[in-house]
Every structure is written in structure tokens, then in C-alpha cells.
Amino acid sequence: QVQLVESGGGLVQPGGSLRLSCAASGIIFSMYPMSWYRQAPGNQRERVARISSSGITNYADSVKGRFTISRDNAKNTVYLQMNSLKPEDTATYYCAAVSTGSWGQGTQVTVSS
């Protein structure tokens, strides 16, 4: 049974930073691409960033240059470093191992002064 557990969300002022973490269990983590998605109220869920099993990354245009996805296979953890946060980044953030159909429970990020 795959489990993904996010942490690191919270309230931050515009221009601030947060680092989200997602700890995985129940899968051979290093073999799977991992993604971060977000969903704001009234909006569709969108993919923010993805990292392949070999470490190749890609990003939504809205976060390029501000967010960085990384993984630590020894810790079975994927990270999302978020810098220069904007109010429009406010959402619930989810990590996913999409190819397994597994999603975390989400962590709330609120960017507000």
C-alpha cells in the first residue's frame, strides 16, 4: 500500500519561502517519477512540478524560476522549495506518484500579508 505524506505548508507573506516535503512508503521510491500538484478553491487541480526517476525536472510556467523540485531517494522523500511566493500561489498542495495512482492528503499553503 502506497502512502504519501506531505508536510511543510503554512501561512507566509508575499515574497517569502516555504519548503514542502513528501515522504513516501510502500513503493520502490527511486523507480518512480514524482509530482507536485496544487488546487485552489474553484480551480482545477494543476501540476506544478515533476521530477523523473533520473532527476529530470519540469515546471508549470507560473512557477518557473521560483519553485524547485528535488528528491532524496535515500530518504524516500520529494521536496518542493517555493521562493518569491505570491498570493496566487495560495492552494492545497499535493504530492503524487501518478503512475501508481497514489496521492497525498495535501498541505495548505496560504500567501497573504
Side-chain angles (χ1 to χ4, degrees), residues 9-112:
L11 172 64
V12 63
Q13 292 188 341
S17 298
L18 282 174
R19 188 175 83 154
L20 306 183
S21 300
C22 173
S25 60
I27 57 172
I28 303 174
F29 179 77
S30 61
M31 293 180 61
Y32 290 92
M34 298 295 296
S35 298
W36 285 98
Y37 285 73
R38 67 184 180 187
Q39 187 169 21
N43 290 1
Q44 288 189 329
R45 190 171 293 190
E46 64 168 340
R47 193 175 76 184
V48 172
R50 180 185 183 273
I51 185 165
S52 73
S53 57
S54 61
I56 296 171
T57 59
N58 52 60
Y59 299 92
D61 287 344
S62 57
V63 306
K64 277 181 183 176
R66 300 189 298 122
F67 290 12
T68 302
I69 189 170
S70 61
R71 65 191 300 157
D72 185 337
N73 289 337
K75 295 183 178 180
N76 286 2
T77 300
V78 60
Y79 303 98
L80 186 68
Q81 178 67 45
M82 305 185 295
N83 299 329
S84 302
L85 282 161
K86 305 175 181 180
E88 52 263 42
D89 294 317
T90 296
T92 302
Y93 284 71
Y94 301 88
C95 74
V98 176
S99 60
T100 72
S102 300
W103 294 77
Q105 81 288 351
T107 186
Q108 178 67 36
V109 171
T110 302
V111 184
S112 174

Side-chain angles (χ1 to χ4, degrees), residues 1-14:
Q1 180 181 354
V2 181
Q3 282 195 314
L4 301 174
V5 180
E6 301 101 334
S7 60
L11 172 64
V12 63
Q13 292 188 341

